Coordinates of all heavy atoms in Angstrom, one line a residue:
E27 N -41.0 -76.7 -23.6 CA -42.2 -76.1 -23.2 C -43.2 -76.0 -24.4 O -42.7 -75.8 -25.5 CB -42.0 -74.8 -22.6 CG -43.2 -74.4 -21.8 CD -42.8 -73.3 -20.8 OE1 -41.7 -73.3 -20.2 OE2 -43.6 -72.4 -20.6
S28 N -44.4 -76.2 -24.2 CA -45.4 -76.2 -25.3 C -46.5 -75.1 -25.1 O -46.8 -74.7 -24.0 CB -46.1 -77.6 -25.3 OG -47.0 -77.6 -26.4
L29 N -47.0 -74.7 -26.2 CA -48.1 -73.7 -26.1 C -49.4 -74.4 -25.7 O -49.6 -75.6 -26.0 CB -48.4 -73.1 -27.5 CG -47.4 -72.2 -28.1 CD1 -47.7 -71.8 -29.5 CD2 -47.2 -70.9 -27.2
E30 N -50.2 -73.7 -24.9 CA -51.5 -74.3 -24.5 C -52.5 -74.0 -25.6 O -52.3 -73.0 -26.4 CB -52.0 -73.6 -23.2 CG -51.2 -74.0 -22.0 CD -51.7 -73.4 -20.7 OE1 -52.9 -73.2 -20.7 OE2 -50.9 -73.2 -19.8
L31 N -53.5 -74.8 -25.8 CA -54.5 -74.5 -26.8 C -55.3 -73.3 -26.4 O -55.7 -73.1 -25.2 CB -55.4 -75.7 -26.9 CG -54.8 -77.0 -27.5 CD1 -55.8 -78.1 -27.6 CD2 -54.2 -76.7 -28.9
L32 N -55.6 -72.5 -27.4 CA -56.5 -71.3 -27.2 C -57.8 -71.6 -27.8 O -58.0 -71.8 -29.0 CB -55.9 -70.1 -27.9 CG -56.7 -68.8 -27.8 CD1 -56.9 -68.3 -26.4 CD2 -56.1 -67.7 -28.7
H33 N -58.8 -71.8 -26.9 CA -60.2 -72.1 -27.3 C -61.0 -70.8 -27.4 O -61.3 -70.3 -26.4 CB -60.8 -73.1 -26.4 CG -60.1 -74.4 -26.4 ND1 -60.4 -75.4 -27.3 CD2 -59.2 -75.0 -25.5 CE1 -59.6 -76.4 -27.1 NE2 -58.9 -76.2 -26.0
L34 N -61.2 -70.4 -28.6 CA -62.1 -69.2 -28.8 C -63.5 -69.6 -29.0 O -63.8 -70.6 -29.6 CB -61.6 -68.3 -30.0 CG -60.2 -67.7 -29.9 CD1 -59.8 -67.0 -31.1 CD2 -60.2 -66.8 -28.7
T35 N -64.4 -68.9 -28.5 CA -65.8 -69.2 -28.6 C -66.3 -68.8 -30.1 O -65.6 -68.0 -30.7 CB -66.7 -68.4 -27.6 OG1 -66.6 -67.0 -27.9 CG2 -66.3 -68.7 -26.2
S36 N -67.4 -69.4 -30.5 CA -67.9 -69.0 -31.8 C -68.1 -67.5 -32.0 O -67.8 -67.0 -33.0 CB -69.2 -69.8 -32.1 OG -69.7 -69.6 -33.4
P37 N -68.8 -66.9 -31.0 CA -68.9 -65.4 -31.1 C -67.6 -64.7 -31.2 O -67.5 -63.7 -31.9 CB -69.7 -65.0 -29.8 CG -70.4 -66.3 -29.4 CD -69.5 -67.4 -29.8
E38 N -66.6 -65.1 -30.5 CA -65.3 -64.5 -30.6 C -64.7 -64.6 -32.0 O -64.1 -63.7 -32.5 CB -64.3 -65.1 -29.5 CG -64.6 -64.7 -28.1 CD -63.8 -65.4 -27.1 OE1 -63.5 -66.6 -27.3 OE2 -63.6 -64.8 -26.0
C39 N -64.8 -65.8 -32.6 CA -64.3 -66.0 -33.9 C -65.1 -65.2 -34.9 O -64.5 -64.6 -35.9 CB -64.4 -67.5 -34.3 SG -63.3 -68.5 -33.4
V40 N -66.4 -65.0 -34.7 CA -67.2 -64.2 -35.6 C -66.8 -62.7 -35.5 O -66.6 -62.0 -36.5 CB -68.7 -64.3 -35.3 CG1 -69.5 -63.3 -36.0 CG2 -69.2 -65.7 -35.6
V41 N -66.5 -62.2 -34.3 CA -66.1 -60.9 -34.1 C -64.7 -60.7 -34.8 O -64.5 -59.6 -35.4 CB -66.0 -60.5 -32.6 CG1 -65.3 -59.2 -32.4 CG2 -67.4 -60.4 -32.0
L42 N -63.8 -61.6 -34.6 CA -62.5 -61.5 -35.2 C -62.6 -61.5 -36.7 O -62.0 -60.6 -37.4 CB -61.6 -62.7 -34.8 CG -60.2 -62.7 -35.3 CD1 -59.4 -61.5 -34.9 CD2 -59.5 -64.0 -34.8
A43 N -63.4 -62.4 -37.3 CA -63.6 -62.4 -38.8 C -64.2 -61.1 -39.3 O -63.8 -60.5 -40.3 CB -64.4 -63.6 -39.2
K44 N -65.2 -60.6 -38.5 CA -65.9 -59.4 -38.9 C -65.0 -58.2 -38.8 O -65.0 -57.3 -39.7 CB -67.1 -59.2 -38.1 CG -68.0 -58.0 -38.4 CD -68.6 -58.2 -39.8 CE -69.5 -57.1 -40.2 NZ -69.9 -57.1 -41.5
S45 N -64.1 -58.2 -37.8 CA -63.2 -57.1 -37.6 C -62.2 -57.0 -38.8 O -61.9 -55.9 -39.3 CB -62.4 -57.2 -36.3 OG -63.3 -57.1 -35.2
L46 N -61.7 -58.2 -39.2 CA -60.8 -58.2 -40.3 C -61.5 -57.8 -41.6 O -60.9 -57.0 -42.4 CB -60.2 -59.6 -40.5 CG -59.1 -59.8 -41.6 CD1 -57.9 -58.8 -41.3 CD2 -58.6 -61.2 -41.7
E47 N -62.7 -58.3 -41.8 CA -63.5 -57.9 -42.9 C -63.7 -56.4 -43.0 O -63.6 -55.7 -44.0 CB -64.8 -58.6 -42.9 CG -65.8 -58.3 -44.0 CD -67.1 -59.0 -43.8 OE1 -67.1 -60.2 -43.4 OE2 -68.2 -58.4 -44.0
M48 N -64.0 -55.8 -41.8 CA -64.2 -54.3 -41.7 C -62.9 -53.6 -42.1 O -63.0 -52.5 -42.7 CB -64.8 -53.9 -40.4 CG -66.2 -54.4 -40.1 SD -66.7 -54.2 -38.4 CE -66.5 -52.5 -38.1
L49 N -61.8 -54.1 -41.6 CA -60.5 -53.4 -41.9 C -60.3 -53.5 -43.4 O -59.9 -52.4 -44.0 CB -59.4 -54.1 -41.1 CG -58.0 -53.6 -41.4 CD1 -57.8 -52.2 -41.0 CD2 -57.0 -54.5 -40.7
V50 N -60.5 -54.6 -44.0 CA -60.2 -54.7 -45.4 C -61.2 -53.8 -46.2 O -60.8 -53.1 -47.1 CB -60.4 -56.2 -45.9 CG1 -60.4 -56.3 -47.4 CG2 -59.4 -57.1 -45.3
S51 N -62.4 -53.8 -45.8 CA -63.4 -52.9 -46.4 C -63.1 -51.4 -46.3 O -63.2 -50.7 -47.3 CB -64.8 -53.2 -45.9 OG -65.8 -52.4 -46.4
S52 N -62.6 -51.1 -45.1 CA -62.3 -49.6 -44.9 C -61.1 -49.2 -45.7 O -60.9 -48.0 -45.9 CB -62.0 -49.4 -43.4 OG -60.8 -49.9 -43.0
L53 N -60.3 -50.1 -46.2 CA -59.1 -49.8 -47.0 C -59.3 -50.1 -48.5 O -58.4 -50.4 -49.2 CB -57.8 -50.5 -46.5 CG -57.4 -49.9 -45.1 CD1 -56.3 -50.8 -44.5 CD2 -57.0 -48.5 -45.2
G54 N -60.6 -50.1 -48.9 CA -61.0 -50.3 -50.3 C -61.0 -51.7 -50.8 O -61.0 -52.0 -52.0
G55 N -60.9 -52.7 -49.8 CA -61.0 -54.1 -50.2 C -59.7 -54.6 -50.8 O -59.6 -55.7 -51.4
D56 N -58.6 -53.8 -50.7 CA -57.3 -54.2 -51.2 C -56.4 -54.8 -50.2 O -56.0 -54.1 -49.2 CB -56.7 -53.0 -51.8 CG -55.3 -53.2 -52.5 OD1 -55.1 -54.4 -52.9 OD2 -54.5 -52.3 -52.5
R57 N -56.1 -56.1 -50.3 CA -55.3 -56.8 -49.3 C -53.9 -56.2 -49.2 O -53.3 -56.2 -48.1 CB -55.3 -58.3 -49.6 CG -54.6 -58.7 -50.8 CD -54.7 -60.1 -51.1 NE -53.9 -60.4 -52.3 CZ -53.5 -61.6 -52.6 NH1 -53.8 -62.6 -51.8 NH2 -52.8 -61.8 -53.6
E58 N -53.4 -55.7 -50.3 CA -52.1 -55.1 -50.2 C -52.1 -53.8 -49.4 O -51.2 -53.5 -48.6 CB -51.6 -54.7 -51.6 CG -51.3 -56.0 -52.5 CD -50.8 -55.6 -53.9 OE1 -50.3 -54.5 -54.1 OE2 -51.1 -56.5 -54.8
S59 N -53.2 -53.0 -49.4 CA -53.3 -51.8 -48.6 C -53.4 -52.2 -47.1 O -52.9 -51.5 -46.3 CB -54.6 -51.0 -49.0 OG -54.4 -50.5 -50.3
V60 N -54.1 -53.3 -46.9 CA -54.3 -53.8 -45.5 C -52.9 -54.2 -44.9 O -52.5 -53.8 -43.8 CB -55.3 -54.9 -45.4 CG1 -55.4 -55.5 -44.0 CG2 -56.7 -54.4 -45.8
G61 N -52.2 -55.0 -45.7 CA -50.9 -55.5 -45.3 C -49.9 -54.3 -45.1 O -49.2 -54.3 -44.1
D62 N -50.0 -53.3 -46.0 CA -49.2 -52.1 -45.8 C -49.5 -51.3 -44.6 O -48.6 -50.8 -43.9 CB -49.3 -51.2 -47.1 CG -48.2 -50.2 -47.1 OD1 -47.0 -50.6 -47.2 OD2 -48.5 -49.0 -47.1
A63 N -50.8 -51.2 -44.3 CA -51.2 -50.6 -43.0 C -50.7 -51.3 -41.8 O -50.2 -50.7 -40.9 CB -52.7 -50.4 -43.0
I64 N -50.7 -52.6 -41.8 CA -50.2 -53.4 -40.7 C -48.7 -53.2 -40.6 O -48.2 -53.0 -39.5 CB -50.6 -54.9 -40.9 CG1 -52.1 -55.1 -40.8 CG2 -49.9 -55.7 -39.8 CD1 -52.6 -56.5 -41.2
Y65 N -48.0 -53.3 -41.7 CA -46.6 -53.1 -41.8 C -46.2 -51.7 -41.2 O -45.3 -51.6 -40.4 CB -46.1 -53.2 -43.2 CG -44.6 -53.0 -43.4 CD1 -43.7 -54.1 -43.3 CD2 -44.0 -51.8 -43.6 CE1 -42.3 -53.9 -43.5 CE2 -42.7 -51.6 -43.7 CZ -41.8 -52.6 -43.7 OH -40.5 -52.4 -43.8
G66 N -46.9 -50.7 -41.7 CA -46.6 -49.3 -41.2 C -46.8 -49.2 -39.7 O -46.1 -48.5 -39.0
A67 N -47.9 -49.8 -39.2 CA -48.2 -49.7 -37.8 C -47.1 -50.4 -37.0 O -46.7 -49.9 -35.9 CB -49.6 -50.3 -37.5
L68 N -46.7 -51.6 -37.4 CA -45.7 -52.3 -36.7 C -44.3 -51.6 -36.7 O -43.7 -51.4 -35.7 CB -45.5 -53.7 -37.3 CG -46.5 -54.8 -37.0 CD1 -46.2 -56.0 -37.8 CD2 -46.5 -55.1 -35.5
T69 N -43.9 -51.1 -37.9 CA -42.6 -50.5 -38.0 C -42.5 -49.1 -37.4 O -41.5 -48.7 -37.0 CB -42.1 -50.5 -39.4 OG1 -43.0 -49.8 -40.3 CG2 -41.9 -51.9 -40.0
S70 N -43.6 -48.4 -37.4 CA -43.6 -47.1 -36.8 C -43.6 -47.1 -35.2 O -43.1 -46.3 -34.6 CB -44.7 -46.2 -37.3 OG -46.0 -46.7 -36.9
S71 N -44.3 -48.2 -34.7 CA -44.4 -48.2 -33.2 C -43.3 -49.1 -32.6 O -43.0 -49.0 -31.5 CB -45.8 -48.8 -32.8 OG -46.0 -50.1 -33.3
L72 N -42.7 -50.0 -33.5 CA -41.7 -50.9 -33.0 C -40.4 -50.7 -33.8 O -40.0 -51.5 -34.6 CB -42.1 -52.3 -33.0 CG -43.3 -52.7 -32.2 CD1 -43.8 -54.1 -32.5 CD2 -43.0 -52.6 -30.7
L73 N -39.8 -49.5 -33.7 CA -38.7 -49.2 -34.6 C -37.5 -50.2 -34.5 O -36.8 -50.4 -35.5 CB -38.2 -47.8 -34.2 CG -39.1 -46.6 -34.5 CD1 -38.5 -45.3 -34.0 CD2 -39.4 -46.6 -36.0
C74 N -37.4 -50.8 -33.3 CA -36.3 -51.8 -33.2 C -36.4 -53.0 -34.0 O -35.5 -53.7 -34.2 CB -36.2 -52.1 -31.7 SG -37.6 -53.0 -31.0
I75 N -37.6 -53.3 -34.5 CA -37.8 -54.5 -35.4 C -37.7 -54.1 -36.9 O -37.7 -55.0 -37.7 CB -39.1 -55.3 -35.1 CG1 -40.3 -54.5 -35.5 CG2 -39.1 -55.7 -33.7 CD1 -41.6 -55.3 -35.6
K76 N -37.7 -52.9 -37.2 CA -37.8 -52.5 -38.6 C -36.6 -53.1 -39.4 O -36.8 -53.5 -40.5 CB -37.8 -50.9 -38.7 CG -38.1 -50.5 -40.1 CD -38.3 -49.0 -40.2 CE -38.8 -48.6 -41.6 NZ -39.3 -47.3 -41.6
E77 N -35.4 -53.1 -38.8 CA -34.2 -53.6 -39.5 C -34.4 -55.2 -39.7 O -33.6 -55.7 -40.5 CB -32.9 -53.3 -38.8 CG -32.7 -54.1 -37.6 CD -33.3 -53.6 -36.3 OE1 -34.0 -52.6 -36.3 OE2 -33.1 -54.3 -35.2
S78 N -35.3 -55.8 -39.0 CA -35.4 -57.3 -39.1 C -36.2 -57.6 -40.4 O -36.1 -58.7 -40.9 CB -36.2 -57.8 -38.0 OG -35.6 -57.6 -36.8
F79 N -36.9 -56.7 -41.0 CA -37.6 -56.9 -42.2 C -36.7 -56.7 -43.4 O -36.3 -55.6 -43.8 CB -38.8 -56.0 -42.4 CG -39.9 -56.2 -41.4 CD1 -40.3 -55.2 -40.5 CD2 -40.5 -57.4 -41.3 CE1 -41.3 -55.4 -39.6 CE2 -41.6 -57.6 -40.4 CZ -41.9 -56.6 -39.5
T80 N -36.2 -57.8 -44.0 CA -35.2 -57.7 -45.0 C -35.9 -57.9 -46.4 O -35.2 -57.5 -47.4 CB -34.1 -58.8 -44.9 OG1 -34.8 -60.1 -44.8 CG2 -33.3 -58.6 -43.6
S81 N -37.1 -58.4 -46.5 CA -37.8 -58.5 -47.7 C -38.4 -57.1 -48.1 O -38.6 -56.3 -47.3 CB -38.9 -59.5 -47.6 OG -38.4 -60.8 -47.3
P82 N -38.6 -56.9 -49.4 CA -39.3 -55.7 -49.8 C -40.6 -55.4 -49.1 O -41.3 -56.4 -48.7 CB -39.5 -55.9 -51.3 CG -38.5 -56.9 -51.7 CD -38.4 -57.8 -50.5
R83 N -40.9 -54.2 -48.9 CA -42.1 -53.8 -48.1 C -43.4 -54.4 -48.7 O -44.2 -54.9 -48.0 CB -42.2 -52.3 -48.1 CG -43.4 -51.8 -47.3 CD -43.5 -50.3 -47.1 NE -44.6 -49.9 -46.4 CZ -44.7 -48.9 -45.5 NH1 -43.6 -48.3 -45.2 NH2 -45.8 -48.6 -44.8
A84 N -43.5 -54.4 -50.0 CA -44.7 -55.0 -50.7 C -44.9 -56.5 -50.3 O -45.9 -57.0 -50.0 CB -44.7 -54.8 -52.2
M85 N -43.7 -57.2 -50.3 CA -43.8 -58.6 -50.0 C -44.1 -58.8 -48.6 O -44.9 -59.7 -48.2 CB -42.4 -59.3 -50.3 CG -42.4 -60.8 -50.1 SD -40.8 -61.5 -50.4 CE -40.7 -61.3 -52.2
M86 N -43.5 -58.0 -47.7 CA -43.8 -58.2 -46.2 C -45.3 -57.8 -46.0 O -45.9 -58.4 -45.1 CB -42.9 -57.3 -45.4 CG -41.5 -57.8 -45.3 SD -41.4 -59.5 -44.6 CE -42.4 -59.4 -43.1
S87 N -45.8 -56.8 -46.7 CA -47.2 -56.4 -46.5 C -48.1 -57.6 -46.8 O -49.1 -57.8 -46.0 CB -47.5 -55.2 -47.3 OG -46.7 -54.1 -47.0
L88 N -47.9 -58.3 -47.9 CA -48.7 -59.4 -48.2 C -48.6 -60.5 -47.2 O -49.6 -61.2 -46.9 CB -48.4 -59.9 -49.6 CG -49.0 -59.0 -50.7 CD1 -48.6 -59.5 -52.1 CD2 -50.5 -59.0 -50.7
R89 N -47.4 -60.8 -46.8 CA -47.1 -61.8 -45.8 C -47.9 -61.5 -44.5 O -48.5 -62.4 -43.9 CB -45.7 -62.0 -45.4 CG -44.9 -62.7 -46.5 CD -43.4 -62.9 -46.0 NE -42.6 -63.4 -47.1 CZ -41.3 -63.4 -47.1 NH1 -40.7 -62.9 -46.0 NH2 -40.6 -64.0 -48.0
L90 N -47.8 -60.2 -44.1 CA -48.5 -59.8 -42.8 C -50.0 -60.0 -43.0 O -50.7 -60.5 -42.1 CB -48.2 -58.4 -42.5 CG -46.8 -58.2 -41.9 CD1 -46.4 -56.8 -41.9 CD2 -46.7 -58.8 -40.5
F91 N -50.6 -59.5 -44.1 CA -52.0 -59.7 -44.4 C -52.4 -61.1 -44.4 O -53.4 -61.5 -43.7 CB -52.4 -59.1 -45.7 CG -53.8 -59.4 -46.1 CD1 -54.9 -58.7 -45.5 CD2 -54.1 -60.4 -47.0 CE1 -56.2 -59.0 -45.8 CE2 -55.5 -60.7 -47.3 CZ -56.5 -60.0 -46.7
N92 N -51.7 -62.0 -45.1 CA -52.0 -63.4 -45.1 C -51.9 -64.1 -43.7 O -52.6 -64.9 -43.3 CB -51.2 -64.1 -46.1 CG -51.6 -63.9 -47.5 OD1 -52.8 -63.8 -47.8 ND2 -50.7 -63.8 -48.5
G93 N -50.9 -63.6 -42.9 CA -50.7 -64.1 -41.6 C -51.9 -63.8 -40.7 O -52.5 -64.7 -40.0
F94 N -52.4 -62.6 -40.8 CA -53.6 -62.2 -40.0 C -54.8 -62.9 -40.5 O -55.7 -63.3 -39.7 CB -53.8 -60.7 -40.0 CG -52.9 -60.0 -39.0 CD1 -51.6 -59.7 -39.3 CD2 -53.4 -59.6 -37.8 CE1 -50.8 -59.0 -38.3 CE2 -52.6 -58.9 -36.8 CZ -51.3 -58.6 -37.1
R95 N -54.9 -63.0 -41.8 CA -56.1 -63.7 -42.4 C -56.1 -65.2 -42.0 O -57.2 -65.7 -41.6 CB -56.0 -63.6 -44.0 CG -57.2 -64.3 -44.7 CD -56.9 -64.3 -46.2 NE -55.7 -65.0 -46.6 CZ -55.6 -66.4 -46.6 NH1 -56.6 -67.1 -46.3 NH2 -54.5 -66.9 -47.0
L96 N -55.0 -65.8 -42.0 CA -54.9 -67.2 -41.5 C -55.2 -67.4 -40.0 O -55.9 -68.3 -39.6 CB -53.6 -67.8 -41.9 CG -53.4 -68.2 -43.3 CD1 -52.0 -68.6 -43.6 CD2 -54.3 -69.4 -43.7
L97 N -54.7 -66.4 -39.2 CA -55.1 -66.5 -37.8 C -56.6 -66.4 -37.6 O -57.2 -67.1 -36.8 CB -54.4 -65.3 -37.0 CG -52.9 -65.5 -36.8 CD1 -52.3 -64.2 -36.3 CD2 -52.6 -66.7 -35.9
A98 N -57.2 -65.5 -38.4 CA -58.7 -65.4 -38.3 C -59.4 -66.6 -38.8 O -60.4 -67.0 -38.2 CB -59.2 -64.1 -39.0
T99 N -58.9 -67.2 -39.8 CA -59.5 -68.4 -40.4 C -59.3 -69.6 -39.5 O -60.3 -70.4 -39.4 CB -58.8 -68.7 -41.8 OG1 -59.0 -67.6 -42.6 CG2 -59.4 -70.0 -42.4
K100 N -58.2 -69.7 -38.8 CA -57.9 -70.9 -38.0 C -58.4 -70.8 -36.6 O -58.3 -71.7 -35.8 CB -56.4 -71.2 -38.0 CG -55.9 -71.6 -39.4 CD -54.4 -71.8 -39.4 CE -53.9 -72.2 -40.8 NZ -54.3 -73.5 -41.2
C101 N -58.9 -69.6 -36.2 CA -59.3 -69.4 -34.8 C -60.3 -70.3 -34.2 O -60.4 -70.6 -33.0 CB -59.7 -67.9 -34.6 SG -61.3 -67.5 -35.2
S102 N -61.1 -70.9 -35.1 CA -62.2 -71.8 -34.5 C -61.7 -73.2 -34.3 O -62.4 -74.0 -33.6 CB -63.4 -71.9 -35.5 OG -62.9 -72.4 -36.8
D103 N -60.5 -73.5 -34.7 CA -59.9 -74.9 -34.5 C -58.6 -74.7 -33.6 O -57.6 -74.4 -34.2 CB -59.6 -75.5 -35.8 CG -59.0 -76.9 -35.7 OD1 -58.6 -77.3 -34.6 OD2 -59.0 -77.7 -36.7
A104 N -58.7 -74.9 -32.3 CA -57.6 -74.7 -31.4 C -56.3 -75.4 -31.8 O -55.3 -74.8 -31.7 CB -58.0 -75.0 -30.0
E105 N -56.5 -76.6 -32.2 CA -55.3 -77.4 -32.6 C -54.6 -76.9 -33.8 O -53.4 -76.8 -33.9 CB -55.7 -78.9 -32.8 CG -54.5 -79.9 -32.8 CD -53.7 -79.9 -31.5 OE1 -54.3 -80.0 -30.5 OE2 -52.5 -79.9 -31.6
D106 N -55.4 -76.6 -34.8 CA -54.9 -76.0 -36.1 C -54.2 -74.6 -35.8 O -53.2 -74.3 -36.4 CB -56.0 -75.9 -37.1 CG -55.5 -75.8 -38.5 OD1 -54.4 -76.2 -38.8 OD2 -56.3 -75.3 -39.4
L107 N -54.9 -73.8 -35.0 CA -54.3 -72.5 -34.6 C -53.0 -72.7 -33.9 O -52.0 -72.0 -34.2 CB -55.3 -71.8 -33.7 CG -54.9 -70.4 -33.3 CD1 -54.7 -69.4 -34.4 CD2 -56.0 -69.8 -32.3
K108 N -52.9 -73.6 -33.0 CA -51.6 -73.9 -32.3 C -50.5 -74.2 -33.2 O -49.4 -73.7 -33.2 CB -51.8 -75.0 -31.2 CG -50.5 -75.3 -30.5 CD -50.7 -76.5 -29.6 CE -49.4 -76.9 -29.0 NZ -49.5 -78.1 -28.2
I109 N -50.8 -75.1 -34.2 CA -49.8 -75.5 -35.2 C -49.3 -74.3 -36.0 O -48.1 -74.2 -36.2 CB -50.4 -76.7 -36.0 CG1 -50.5 -77.9 -35.2 CG2 -49.4 -76.9 -37.3 CD1 -51.3 -79.0 -35.9
Y110 N -50.3 -73.5 -36.4 CA -49.9 -72.3 -37.2 C -49.1 -71.4 -36.4 O -48.1 -70.9 -36.9 CB -51.2 -71.7 -37.7 CG -50.9 -70.4 -38.6 CD1 -50.2 -70.6 -39.8 CD2 -51.3 -69.2 -38.1 CE1 -49.9 -69.5 -40.5 CE2 -50.9 -68.1 -38.9 CZ -50.3 -68.2 -40.1 OH -49.9 -67.1 -40.8
V111 N -49.4 -71.1 -35.2 CA -48.7 -70.2 -34.3 C -47.3 -70.7 -34.1 O -46.3 -70.0 -34.1 CB -49.4 -69.9 -33.0 CG1 -48.5 -69.1 -32.0 CG2 -50.7 -69.1 -33.3
E112 N -47.2 -72.0 -33.8 CA -45.8 -72.6 -33.6 C -45.0 -72.5 -34.9 O -43.8 -72.2 -34.8 CB -46.0 -74.1 -33.2 CG -46.5 -74.3 -31.8 CD -46.7 -75.8 -31.5 OE1 -46.9 -76.6 -32.4 OE2 -46.7 -76.1 -30.3
T113 N -45.6 -72.7 -36.0 CA -44.9 -72.5 -37.3 C -44.4 -71.1 -37.5 O -43.3 -70.9 -37.9 CB -45.8 -72.9 -38.5 OG1 -46.3 -74.3 -38.3 CG2 -45.1 -72.8 -39.8
L114 N -45.2 -70.1 -37.1 CA -44.8 -68.7 -37.2 C -43.6 -68.5 -36.3 O -42.6 -67.8 -36.6 CB -45.9 -67.8 -36.8 CG -47.0 -67.6 -37.8 CD1 -48.1 -66.7 -37.3 CD2 -46.5 -67.0 -39.1
G115 N -43.7 -69.1 -35.1 CA -42.6 -69.0 -34.1 C -41.3 -69.6 -34.6 O -40.2 -69.0 -34.5
F116 N -41.4 -70.7 -35.3 CA -40.2 -71.4 -35.8 C -39.5 -70.5 -36.9 O -38.3 -70.5 -37.1 CB -40.5 -72.8 -36.3 CG -40.6 -73.8 -35.2 CD1 -41.8 -74.6 -35.1 CD2 -39.7 -73.9 -34.2 CE1 -41.9 -75.5 -34.1 CE2 -39.8 -74.9 -33.2 CZ -41.0 -75.6 -33.1
R117 N -40.4 -69.8 -37.7 CA -39.8 -69.0 -38.7 C -39.0 -67.8 -38.2 O -38.2 -67.2 -38.9 CB -41.0 -68.4 -39.6 CG -41.6 -69.3 -40.5 CD -42.6 -68.6 -41.4 NE -43.5 -69.5 -42.0 CZ -44.6 -69.1 -42.6 NH1 -45.0 -67.9 -42.6 NH2 -45.4 -70.0 -43.1
H118 N -39.2 -67.5 -36.9 CA -38.6 -66.3 -36.3 C -37.5 -66.7 -35.3 O -36.9 -65.9 -34.6 CB -39.6 -65.5 -35.5 CG -40.6 -64.8 -36.5 ND1 -41.7 -65.4 -36.9 CD2 -40.5 -63.6 -37.0 CE1 -42.3 -64.6 -37.7 NE2 -41.7 -63.5 -37.8
M119 N -37.1 -68.0 -35.3 CA -36.1 -68.5 -34.4 C -34.7 -67.9 -34.6 O -33.9 -67.8 -33.7 CB -36.0 -70.0 -34.4 CG -37.2 -70.6 -33.6 SD -37.1 -72.4 -33.5 CE -35.8 -72.6 -32.4
G120 N -34.4 -67.4 -35.8 CA -33.1 -66.9 -36.1 C -32.9 -65.4 -35.6 O -31.9 -64.9 -35.7
H121 N -34.0 -64.9 -35.0 CA -33.9 -63.5 -34.6 C -33.6 -63.5 -33.1 O -34.3 -64.2 -32.3 CB -35.2 -62.7 -34.8 CG -35.6 -62.7 -36.3 ND1 -34.9 -61.8 -37.2 CD2 -36.4 -63.4 -37.0 CE1 -35.4 -62.0 -38.4 NE2 -36.3 -62.9 -38.3
D122 N -32.6 -62.7 -32.7 CA -32.3 -62.6 -31.3 C -33.4 -61.9 -30.5 O -34.0 -61.0 -30.9 CB -31.0 -61.7 -31.1 CG -29.8 -62.4 -31.7 OD1 -29.8 -63.7 -31.8 OD2 -28.9 -61.7 -32.1
V123 N -33.6 -62.4 -29.3 CA -34.5 -61.8 -28.3 C -33.6 -60.9 -27.5 O -32.8 -61.3 -26.7 CB -35.2 -62.8 -27.4 CG1 -36.1 -62.2 -26.4 CG2 -35.9 -63.8 -28.3
T124 N -33.8 -59.6 -27.7 CA -33.0 -58.6 -27.0 C -33.9 -57.7 -26.1 O -35.1 -57.6 -26.4 CB -32.3 -57.6 -28.0 OG1 -33.2 -56.9 -28.8 CG2 -31.3 -58.4 -28.9
S125 N -33.3 -57.1 -25.2 CA -34.1 -56.2 -24.2 C -34.9 -55.2 -25.0 O -36.1 -55.0 -24.7 CB -33.2 -55.6 -23.2 OG -32.7 -56.6 -22.4
P126 N -34.3 -54.4 -25.9 CA -35.1 -53.4 -26.6 C -36.3 -54.0 -27.3 O -37.4 -53.4 -27.3 CB -34.1 -52.8 -27.6 CG -32.8 -53.0 -27.0 CD -32.9 -54.4 -26.3
R127 N -36.2 -55.2 -27.9 CA -37.3 -55.8 -28.6 C -38.4 -56.2 -27.7 O -39.5 -56.1 -27.9 CB -36.8 -57.0 -29.5 CG -36.1 -56.5 -30.7 CD -35.7 -57.7 -31.5 NE -35.0 -57.3 -32.7 CZ -34.2 -58.0 -33.5 NH1 -34.1 -59.3 -33.2 NH2 -33.6 -57.6 -34.5
V128 N -38.0 -56.8 -26.6 CA -38.9 -57.3 -25.6 C -39.7 -56.1 -25.0 O -40.9 -56.2 -24.8 CB -38.2 -58.2 -24.5 CG1 -39.2 -58.5 -23.4 CG2 -37.7 -59.5 -25.1
E129 N -38.9 -55.1 -24.6 CA -39.6 -53.9 -24.0 C -40.5 -53.2 -25.0 O -41.5 -52.7 -24.6 CB -38.5 -52.9 -23.5 CG -37.7 -53.5 -22.3 CD -36.5 -52.6 -22.0 OE1 -36.3 -51.6 -22.6 OE2 -35.7 -53.1 -21.2
A130 N -40.2 -53.2 -26.3 CA -41.0 -52.6 -27.3 C -42.4 -53.3 -27.4 O -43.4 -52.7 -27.6 CB -40.3 -52.5 -28.6
V131 N -42.3 -54.6 -27.3 CA -43.6 -55.4 -27.5 C -44.4 -55.3 -26.2 O -45.5 -55.1 -26.1 CB -43.2 -56.8 -27.9 CG1 -44.5 -57.6 -27.9 CG2 -42.5 -56.9 -29.2

């Protein structure tokens, strides 16, 4: 099975980029702070995935920030966005899909 292309309009891409920019600005322009906020939000609301993060928090925070930044950057090109999302999915193939994880999301 394959992912369908997600075609975002230009205004939607602008809103997405502006939202990310506002988030970064609200946290002092520090990408590490943004990544840490994303990490904290994920792990506090989805406790069942916290044990899946085996890298140090600082490293995961930067990965999360860069992941969101790339999603915002690639949103105007549906094909490029699809490739990136598939790549993210392949990176997570080693993680079991369990009922608690599915229900949490």
Side-chain angles (χ1 to χ4, degrees):
E27 199 159 321
S28 178
L29 292 174
E30 292 183 27
L31 292 179
L32 175 64
H33 296 279
L34 296 175
T35 65
S36 182
E38 289 171 328
C39 291
V40 169
V41 168
L42 181 59
K44 186 65 177 169
S45 298
L46 184 59
E47 180 184 316
M48 289 170 59
L49 176 62
V50 172
S51 178
S52 73
L53 293 171
D56 181 27
R57 64 186 187 161
E58 291 177 29
S59 295
V60 175
D62 194 60
I64 295 169
Y65 179 93
L68 282 173
T69 58
S70 66
S71 62
L72 300 172
L73 294 175
C74 62
I75 68 165
K76 191 169 188 170
E77 77 275 358
S78 299
F79 293 121
T80 56
S81 299
R83 183 175 178 139
M85 183 182 292
M86 284 305 307
S87 296
L88 284 175
R89 284 184 187 165
L90 287 165
F91 171 78
N92 283 325
F94 278 82
R95 181 187 58 80
L96 284 169
L97 287 169
T99 301
K100 295 177 180 295
C101 74
S102 61
D103 182 344
E105 192 64 46
D106 199 23
L107 180 61
K108 177 184 173 187
I109 291 168
Y110 180 64
V111 170
E112 286 176 336
T113 301
L114 287 175
F116 284 127
R117 286 188 198 164
H118 293 84
M119 285 184 71
H121 300 284
D122 292 332
V123 178
T124 62
S125 292
R127 287 184 178 161
V128 171
E129 290 170 7
V131 175

